[in-house]
Amino acid sequence: MALDIETDTDVNELAQHNILVTTFEKLWNWGRSWSFWPLNYGCNCCPIEVMAAGAARFDQARFGYEVVRAVPRQADLLTVAGPITLKMKPAVERVWAQMPEPKWVIAFGNCAISGGPFRDGYSILPGVDSIIPVDIYIPGCPVRPEAYFHAMLELQKKVQKGDYRRG
Ligand code: SF4
């Protein structure tokens, strides 16, 4: 049955027939927010908590984030857990550059945010945001998997609102 939508009444009538009206962008953002494909960078202790988040006790798969990629061209979320050494800086920058847009970054733990207890060391970056933009910061030493999930849910809200960098 074809209906011309001219008034609110017509829209209400359509809604009663289980028809939703939205935009492609909202639909895409909704899909993106439930299907992050993370790529994990890890150094020191925080990556162990990232691994725990994916294991059976916490079960990252419940949220649809479990397809962790080992190659940047298939990933849209970079999780940086632990400090970045100057030696690893070019590798992180290259991985980020190779990830397609749109893409996001989570700084996982004090070392990723600011260098943490190693901040004064000669070989540690003072935070991942000194080389790439960060969307969500999770403070902690270490961060627990529950906080990681909370950060993911906050990122999900940002993406659903379309509140992210493009290109
Ligand atoms: S923030 Fe703490 S737990 Fe995490 S990598 Fe640094 S020292 Fe280890």
Side-chain angles (χ1 to χ4, degrees):
M1 179 177 66
L3 290 176
D4 289 331
I5 305 172
E6 291 182 356
T7 66
D8 285 348
T9 311
D10 290 336
V11 173
N12 289 337
E13 190 181 334
L14 283 171
Q16 285 169 7
H17 291 86
N18 297 326
I19 293 174
L20 295 175
V21 179
T22 185
T23 63
F24 276 119
E25 187 169 16
K26 283 184 182 167
L27 198 58
W28 283 328
N29 284 337
W30 179 83
R32 283 170 177 149
S33 75
W34 283 104
S35 58
F36 291 121
W37 284 13
L39 186 158
N40 295 335
Y41 164 88
C43 182
N44 287 14
C45 0
C46 274
I48 301 298
E49 301 295 335
V50 175
M51 291 177 223
R57 181 169 176 190
F58 295 99
D59 193 11
Q60 192 171 344
R62 289 177 296 155
F63 299 95
Y65 314 142
E66 83 280 19
V67 189
V68 179
R69 313 311 296 187
V71 286
R73 66 175 175 274
Q74 296 174 345
D76 59 7
L77 171 62
L78 179 60
T79 300
V80 177
I84 298 178
T85 58
L86 294 183
K87 188 175 181 181
M88 288 302 292
K89 174 176 173 274
V92 174
E93 287 173 323
R94 189 176 317 122
V95 162
W96 174 248
Q98 289 175 343
M99 288 169 62
E101 299 280 353
K103 55 190 175 182
W104 301 277
V105 178
I106 288 180
F108 187 107
N110 294 355
C111 284
I113 293 171
S114 68
F118 310 107
R119 183 183 174 88
D120 294 330
Y122 68 94
S123 60
I124 300 294
L125 276 186
V128 60
D129 62 3
S130 63
I131 54 170
I132 57 176
V134 171
D135 296 279
I136 302 279
Y137 296 84
I138 323 174
C141 180
V143 170
R144 294 289 296 139
E146 295 90 338
Y148 186 37
F149 295 146
H150 178 70
M152 286 285 211
L153 293 171
E154 290 301 311
L155 181 61
Q156 203 173 48
K157 286 184 207 163
K158 283 183 77 164
V159 173
Q160 285 174 359
K161 282 192 273 179
D163 178 19
Y164 56 82
R165 297 175 308 280
R166 292 148 206 266

